[in-house]
Amino acid sequence: MNTESGPDEALEQAVRLRERRTSQACEELVALAARHPGHAGIAYQTAWAHDALGLEAGAVPYYERAVDGTGLAPEDRHGAFLGLGSTLRVLGRYAGARAVLERGLAEFPDDAALRTFLAMVLYNLGEARESVGLLLKVVAATGADPGLRAYAPAVAHYADRLDEVE
């Protein structure tokens, strides 16, 4: 491994390592991230590698560096929010997951994946009505089934009125 690489070369190396999905690659990414602690892209690749190996707790600090850093492409920034929020949820850190996913939605307000993971967190927090309402909005906005498309406006309307009767 080239230990004298510049940031762009280091990021390319990080992507190649992450794609290998091995514990050795993950270890090499940790070392690369240590050499480039302010590089959000390398932190993101390191977090992703941890997640891919089922090492969720190890992914968290790297995801945090990625979302708190600058310079990530929008697609990767979105992925970092989604990865961190999902990982925190899996670890039972629901309040943190909610905060991260809401922060992601502030930047990507109509994103169905972020909204869906937030719905799961809301369920975990005991907010079932809010969870179902959010999922209904996602379904109404993204569902491709022709039968559902015909009722999408009604589904979206009632998503916030689940307990109302007329």
Side-chain angles (χ1 to χ4, degrees), residues 117-155:
F117 277 87
L118 178 57
M120 286 187 261
V121 169
L122 291 172
Y123 171 82
N124 294 129
L125 289 168
E127 299 179 32
R129 184 170 38 88
E130 293 80 2
S131 174
V132 171
L134 184 54
L135 284 175
L136 286 172
K137 289 176 187 175
V138 170
V139 168
T142 63
D145 181 80
L148 176 62
R149 294 286 350 129
Y151 292 99
V155 170

Side-chain angles (χ1 to χ4, degrees), residues 22-147:
T22 66
S23 59
Q24 179 184 357
C26 191
E27 291 169 14
E28 292 176 29
L29 275 163
V30 168
L32 187 62
R35 286 195 306 279
H36 299 277
H39 198 294
I42 293 170
Y44 175 53
Q45 296 299 324
T46 305
W48 192 348
H50 278 81
D51 257 352
L53 294 173
L55 305 171
E56 288 84 1
V60 171
Y62 295 103
Y63 276 133
E64 289 173 338
R65 282 171 44 185
V67 299
D68 291 339
T70 59
L72 280 180
E75 179 181 320
D76 288 345
R77 187 152 175 83
H78 169 267
F81 279 119
L82 190 59
L84 179 55
S86 171
T87 297
L88 290 172
R89 190 193 76 76
V90 167
L91 294 171
R93 296 169 55 184
Y94 305 129
R98 181 182 195 163
V100 166
L101 292 167
E102 287 176 344
R103 185 174 160 202
L105 282 166
E107 291 188 32
F108 304 95
D110 297 321
D111 186 75
L114 288 168
R115 294 169 81 196
T116 300
F117 277 87
L118 178 57
M120 286 187 261
V121 169
L122 291 172
Y123 171 82
N124 294 129
L125 289 168
E127 299 179 32
R129 184 170 38 88
E130 293 80 2
S131 174
V132 171
L134 184 54
L135 284 175
L136 286 172
K137 289 176 187 175
V138 170
V139 168
T142 63
D145 181 80

Side-chain angles (χ1 to χ4, degrees), residues 33 38 160:
D160 289 327

